[in-house]
Amino acid sequence: MANKHDHPGEQAADDPIRLLGIRDTALSVDEVFAAVGDAAAGGTALFVGTVRDHDGGADVTRLGYSSHPTAEAELRRVAEKVAADFPVRALAAVHRVGELAVGDLAVVVAVSCPHRGEAFEACRRLIDNLKHEVPIWKHQSFTDGTEEWVGA
């Protein structure tokens, strides 16, 4: 009997990056989830980031995201690194820019891997690195009239 890790389904896909984007239109969890479907994946992890009504103890009244022109290229670099470090079968990541309301989807990422542990770890790395390395900035306005840029 062959070693279970010799099976092609236990390996990373040749081209696992299925969907990447920085968008000024509403995001879809269904689109991202569908993009990472793979018959060899035993685990799919999905993260959805939404606009909350508060930050740092203050009530948020408005929020906008803007990005550098290189943001999509940096998103691809981050995705490629995650795909190189884990046995990723499929990966997707989209981030919203523009004015968003409380409850709107700001970011959706998903990763499918042969096993759940790998999927969880890869998805966490993807969202963490996206937030730290991709040049996307958040501008928040608060009920007390103050404003703040995050990540700028």
Side-chain angles (χ1 to χ4, degrees):
M1 187 162 133
N3 182 332
K4 72 175 186 169
H5 296 292
D6 291 338
H7 189 280
E10 293 291 323
Q11 309 302 315
D14 288 337
D15 187 16
I17 299 172
R18 306 275 174 84
L19 173 66
L20 294 177
I22 309 294
R23 298 180 175 171
D24 62 0
T25 57
L27 305 181
S28 166
V29 171
D30 291 338
E31 177 191 23
V32 172
F33 183 68
V36 297
D38 189 286
T44 299
L46 182 124
F47 173 81
V48 179
T50 56
V51 177
R52 62 181 177 263
D53 66 357
H54 67 282
D55 190 34
D59 292 330
V60 173
T61 59
R62 225 182 56 190
L63 186 140
Y65 283 99
S66 58
S67 66
H68 190 273
T70 63
E72 210 158 301
E74 287 301 305
L75 179 57
R76 176 162 294 281
R77 185 188 59 73
V78 165
E80 287 171 348
K81 178 78 169 105
V82 170
D85 290 347
F86 295 92
V88 173
R89 299 297 307 169
L91 179 150
V94 290
H95 201 295
R96 179 90 185 267
V97 292
E99 295 297 314
L100 282 75
V102 170
D104 283 350
L105 304 184
V107 61
V108 183
V109 302
V111 178
S112 61
C113 292
H115 303 280
R116 71 178 178 273
E118 300 157 341
F120 278 126
E121 290 178 43
C123 189
R124 178 162 194 137
R125 173 95 52 87
L126 178 59
I127 188 59
D128 286 350
N129 290 356
L130 185 160
K131 296 307 271 180
H132 288 98
E133 299 177 29
V134 178
I136 297 172
W137 308 288
K138 177 170 58 173
H139 182 239
Q140 301 181 112
S141 298
F142 301 100
T143 55
D144 67 2
T146 61
E147 297 180 344
E148 123 182 288
W149 282 94
V150 180

